[in-house]
Amino acid sequence: MSGDISTGVDPKCVATNVFQQLHHVSRAKRGQVMGQRGGFRGCTIWFTGLSGAGKTTVSFALEDYLCSKGIPAYALDGDNLRHGLNKNLGFTHEDREENIRRVSEVAKLFADGGIVCLTAFISPFKADRDAARKIHEDAGLQFFEIFVDTPLEVCEQRDVKGLYKKARAGIIKGFTGIDQDYEKPEHPEIVVKGGELSIEESVNSVLELLQERSVLPHSAVETVKELFVPENAVEAAREEAQSMPKYQMTKLDMQWLQVLAEGWASPLAGFMREREYLQTLHFNCQLDGGVNNQSLPIVLPVHDDDKERLDDLDAFALEYDGKIQAILRSPEFYEHRKEERCCRTWGTSHAGHPYIKMVMESGNWLCGGDIEVIERIKWNDGMDEYRKTPNELRALFREMKADAVFAFQLRNPVHNGHALLMQDTRRRLLERGYKKPVLLLHPLGGWTKDDDVPLDYRMKQHHAVLEEGVLDKESTVIAIFPSPMHYAGPTEVQWHCKARMAAGANFYIVGRDPAGMPHPDGTKDLYDHSHGRRVLTMAPGLTQLEIIPFRVAAYNKKKGKMDFYDPERKEDFEFISGTRMRRMARTGEMPPDGFMAPKAWDVLCEYYKKLQQQQSQ
């Protein structure tokens, strides 16, 4: 706050008998209640640059990112404020000075309230920007000047509002960059090279600054935490692991190791320790360093004899199929309370549930600890090329110049009802102004129950769908998600959603009864079919992703194709259940035209024919 602190009177203030009033609520207290991440983070980020430089674009993208991470942020835009607070100001030197003074005071109030305030104003004069900084620094608030340095010719080429054209024609006088000087910042906190950097790169440069200045916790900056040993240390790690006691992992353990190693469960550094396990079990989140959704426990069950053998060690090696895969350091053993785990994860401990059965048969102890994975995990089944890590997928989306990524998680064959939902999502994204939306078709590749179609046939079926042109090859990425399936309904669908965020998706299509199955006692479905979709819209730590709700599709007999169901014309529609579809495929019966791409249907029939042959033998 500027002015005479002892009297509370600002000597520059025109109004008389005005006194500064001190708040009873401290900044520390505001920091406890603002957003999902504790701590006072109020500051102002001042974007300055020519008209059309990209100030508003970057500030709005940064605002969106921060809010999605549970950090309150608000962007003040020059045009917006001139519609309200500053609508009585013109563009004379004096009015521009007053415009920035008002904005500075408003930004200070936002920052003092614990909000990251983002301002996007040309603010061409150094003296005005310096005054804005002083207003904040006098109040003990951080102020960051960001110069969006975009060449004048690039700004003119963009000219979204047509202002440069008018200025060149002499219609607008005193236009910054044409007949009004812009005083470039001499010592901005950072310079963003507009026209060279992408929006994502520009946002990341500001995020790095905020991390350095302790405004943001590291957990708020989106990073994929891979757990592989650095390439130059692989041989040393392998040699060290050879000399260590070994723990023999199951195939299920190995699949979870791959999930951890590739960063799908970031920021986990290994199999969950008890503190992390309890947070997931009771809150569906990891809470240290902020709110990170992690609804499923990722744990390493250990039997009594192994626990006794490994208990006092500083580290031991993890082995699968005769090969050392990783080192687990600083192990922590704790009781595997199986019934509690099952009831909190699945809502039941019924041993007829296939994953619950595996839990009940697993070890009585859980072992947590940091892991170092020696090399990329391969299954050598002809499908490793599709097992792309989150970082690889992000790089691929950048290469494709995707401006939106919508993910579809599936463990079943794709029929034209699924395809309709994906096609409709793409259409709606294009209507919203996205230029290059990309579909991530992402079948689950870990353990599934025995009566599900296995991964190799699902992948063949998905490729057949693409070959027949049901989905657009050029805007679709097909990859394998390495996670095992839990069949845990609304709890599990949060994990599926969170993992796709790690891969760079910002839209997620949720289906009917996601991750559901019939109750093991055969009486009804285990979960309400709508709860997965509804939970996703409320789940903490997933706000960065926009949920695309499931629309019911059925076979339209009049149109001869899959269509969105209209209850007012219910006699026109026929529902083909998964059970009926599987029965038709087993018997070689053809479905109605338009239900599934013919080549894709042939793949499904091939699988069930082979299965019948195996069962008869």
Side-chain angles (χ1 to χ4, degrees):
M1 121 193 30
S2 59
D4 187 341
I5 303 300
S6 61
T7 63
V9 177
D10 185 341
K12 296 180 183 178
C13 187
V14 175
T16 58
N17 301 312
V18 176
F19 299 88
Q20 187 77 34
Q21 303 298 315
L22 299 178
H23 289 274
H24 293 178
V25 178
S26 68
R27 288 176 182 168
K29 181 64 176 176
R30 286 199 187 97
Q32 291 175 6
V33 298
M34 293 290 286
Q36 297 175 1
R37 298 170 189 268
F40 182 80
R41 310 193 188 284
C43 65
T44 289
I45 302 170
W46 192 281
F47 290 93
T48 178
L50 296 173
S51 177
K55 304 179 298 298
T56 296
T57 301
V58 176
S59 68
F60 280 9
L62 180 59
E63 177 189 34
D64 183 42
Y65 182 93
L66 292 172
C67 288
S68 75
K69 292 298 182 181
I71 293 172
Y74 193 88
L76 300 173
D77 173 71
D79 284 2
N80 290 349
L81 261 71
R82 282 186 178 271
H83 277 91
L85 178 66
N86 294 345
K87 66 181 180 180
N88 63 327
L89 298 178
F91 290 92
T92 65
H93 187 98
E94 293 75 15
D95 278 1
R96 283 186 158 187
E97 181 179 344
E98 174 60 14
N99 180 52
I100 298 305
R101 188 195 68 80
R102 291 183 192 179
V103 172
S104 305
E105 293 288 356
V106 171
K108 184 191 78 170
L109 294 176
F110 272 89
D112 192 42
I115 295 170
V116 177
C117 185
L118 314 164
T119 69
F121 292 79
I122 296 173
S123 45
F125 306 124
K126 178 180 180 299
D128 295 342
R129 298 192 301 265
D130 289 347
R133 182 186 295 274
K134 187 173 188 306
I135 285 171
H136 286 74
E137 291 179 347
D138 286 350
L141 294 164
Q142 294 196 78
F143 179 95
F144 307 108
E145 186 177 39
I146 312 298
F147 176 29
V148 184
D149 186 9
T150 305
L152 177 61
E153 57 269 22
V154 174
C155 296
E156 284 203 70
Q157 286 168 7
R158 293 174 177 172
D159 202 14
V160 178
K161 304 170 188 175
L163 301 178
Y164 281 100
K165 187 177 181 180
K166 291 180 180 179
R168 291 291 187 189
I171 299 171
I172 298 177
K173 302 294 185 181
F175 191 77
T176 304
I178 304 300
D179 56 354
Q180 170 73 62
D181 287 340
Y182 174 79
E183 298 173 1
K184 291 187 176 183
E186 296 174 359
H187 303 290
E189 271 67 21
I190 57 172
V191 176
V192 171
K193 288 289 185 181
E196 296 180 19
L197 299 180
S198 67
I199 295 171
E200 182 182 2
E201 289 169 330
S202 301
V203 168
N204 285 340
S205 66
V206 182
L207 291 174
E208 288 173 9
L209 169 69
L210 297 180
Q211 263 193 315
E212 291 171 7
R213 302 297 179 89
S214 301
V215 173
L216 299 187
H218 285 279
S219 60
V221 178
E222 189 175 284
T223 54
V224 174
K225 187 174 184 177
E226 292 187 349
L227 304 179
F228 295 110
V229 173
E231 192 174 341
N232 61 1
V234 166
E235 287 309 314
R238 185 177 282 115
E239 186 177 335
E240 181 187 8
Q242 288 288 356
S243 65
M244 290 178 166
K246 316 289 191 298
Y247 176 76
Q248 301 297 324
M249 292 187 296
T250 65
K251 186 176 183 179
L252 189 67
D253 298 333
M254 181 68 166
Q255 290 172 352
W256 283 120
L257 182 72
Q258 182 174 10
V259 166
L260 290 166
E262 293 179 356
W264 297 100
S266 298
L268 288 180
F271 289 105
M272 287 180 174
R273 299 177 184 277
E274 190 171 26
R275 177 181 175 84
E276 295 166 324
Y277 174 71
L278 290 174
Q279 288 178 2
T280 283
L281 215 57
H282 291 272
F283 308 116
N284 283 355
C285 290
Q286 293 297 293
L287 301 174
D288 296 331
V291 178
N292 286 284
N293 193 284
Q294 182 59 53
S295 59
L296 293 184
I298 301 180
V299 292
L300 183 64
V302 174
H303 289 284
D304 294 352
D305 54 347
D306 284 314
K307 189 259 184 186
E308 187 175 340
R309 179 172 62 89
L310 302 170
D311 201 0
D312 296 325
L313 299 176
D314 293 329
F316 56 85
L318 299 177
E319 191 172 65
Y320 175 72
D321 200 21
K323 182 179 178 182
I324 292 175
Q325 303 289 341
I327 296 172
L328 189 149
R329 298 195 186 276
S330 305
E332 175 189 335
F333 293 89
Y334 52 100
E335 185 182 356
H336 189 185
R337 299 178 63 85
K338 300 174 186 178
E339 184 178 18
E340 180 186 7
R341 174 186 173 187
C342 292
C343 289
R344 289 195 173 275
T345 302
W346 287 275
T348 179
S349 58
H350 196 298
H353 187 293
Y355 203 111
I356 290 175
K357 183 175 183 290
M358 293 193 294
V359 170
M360 292 301 187
E361 293 172 353
S362 67
N364 294 324
W365 302 92
L366 297 176
C367 180
D370 296 354
I371 58 170
E372 299 169 9
V373 180
I374 292 174
E375 60 185 0
R376 184 78 173 265
I377 292 171
K378 303 281 187 183
W379 295 94
N380 302 314
D381 55 3
M383 295 183 285
D384 283 327
E385 65 177 297
Y386 297 105
R387 293 185 174 94
K388 298 186 184 300
T389 68
N391 281 331
E392 288 172 340
L393 285 169
R394 284 171 174 263
L396 181 56
F397 297 144
R398 284 194 295 270
E399 185 181 317
M400 295 173 72
K401 295 182 168 43
D403 56 357
V405 177
F406 59 108
F408 189 67
Q409 203 282 157
L410 66 167
R411 71 171 199 273
N412 291 312
V414 174
H415 59 62
N416 287 356
H418 298 135
L420 180 64
L421 188 57
M422 291 182 262
Q423 293 161 353
D424 185 63
T425 299
R426 174 176 168 76
R427 177 188 61 78
R428 285 194 280 168
L429 290 174
L430 288 168
E431 287 177 355
R432 286 170 57 172
Y434 292 98
K435 304 299 183 187
K436 189 69 185 293
V438 169
L439 166 64
L440 172 59
L441 189 64
H442 213 200
L444 183 135
W447 173 88
T448 56
K449 54 190 175 68
D450 292 340
D451 60 349
D452 281 349
V453 178
L455 178 63
D456 54 347
Y457 275 94
R458 282 186 281 131
M459 288 295 287
K460 284 173 67 176
Q461 196 266 355
H462 300 342
H463 279 294
V465 168
L466 288 170
E467 286 167 15
E468 295 237 4
V470 177
L471 296 173
D472 178 34
K473 271 186 178 182
E474 299 303 312
S475 61
T476 299
V477 171
I478 183 167
I480 294 172
F481 176 43
S483 175
M485 190 75 194
H486 264 60
Y487 305 93
T491 298
E492 182 171 13
V493 75
Q494 295 175 64
W495 158 242
H496 291 168
C497 189
K498 174 255 176 71
R500 276 36 180 247
M501 281 172 53
N506 39 21
F507 296 90
Y508 183 79
I509 303 172
V510 58
R512 181 185 182 279
D513 193 22
M517 63 171 280
H519 196 287
D521 65 12
T523 57
K524 57 184 177 181
D525 286 342
L526 191 51
Y527 309 104
D528 182 286
H529 68 85
S530 70
H531 283 184
R533 168 179 53 82
R534 291 163 64 187
V535 165
L536 278 187
T537 63
M538 302 181 282
L542 297 180
T543 51
Q544 186 182 346
L545 219 62
E546 183 174 331
I547 306 303
I548 307 295
F550 179 79
R551 294 178 65 189
V552 177
Y555 186 74
N556 188 319
K557 293 178 287 187
K558 284 192 173 180
K559 293 183 178 179
K561 63 178 184 178
M562 297 297 287
D563 194 8
F564 290 123
Y565 178 67
D566 182 356
E568 294 185 1
R569 296 183 295 109
K570 60 183 179 182
E571 66 278 359
D572 295 347
F573 290 89
E574 179 182 1
F575 286 92
I576 301 175
S577 67
T579 301
R580 181 181 168 192
M581 181 184 73
R582 287 189 288 271
R583 185 177 67 246
M584 293 168 71
R586 280 195 298 268
T587 60
E589 180 185 350
M590 289 298 294
D593 287 344
F595 173 73
M596 184 182 290
K599 287 183 181 179
W601 182 254
D602 290 344
V603 172
L604 205 56
C605 291
E606 177 192 338
Y607 164 68
Y608 280 109
K609 184 178 179 180
K610 180 181 176 182
L611 183 64
Q612 282 181 318
Q613 290 172 347
Q614 291 173 343
Q615 290 172 343
S616 64
Q617 293 171 359

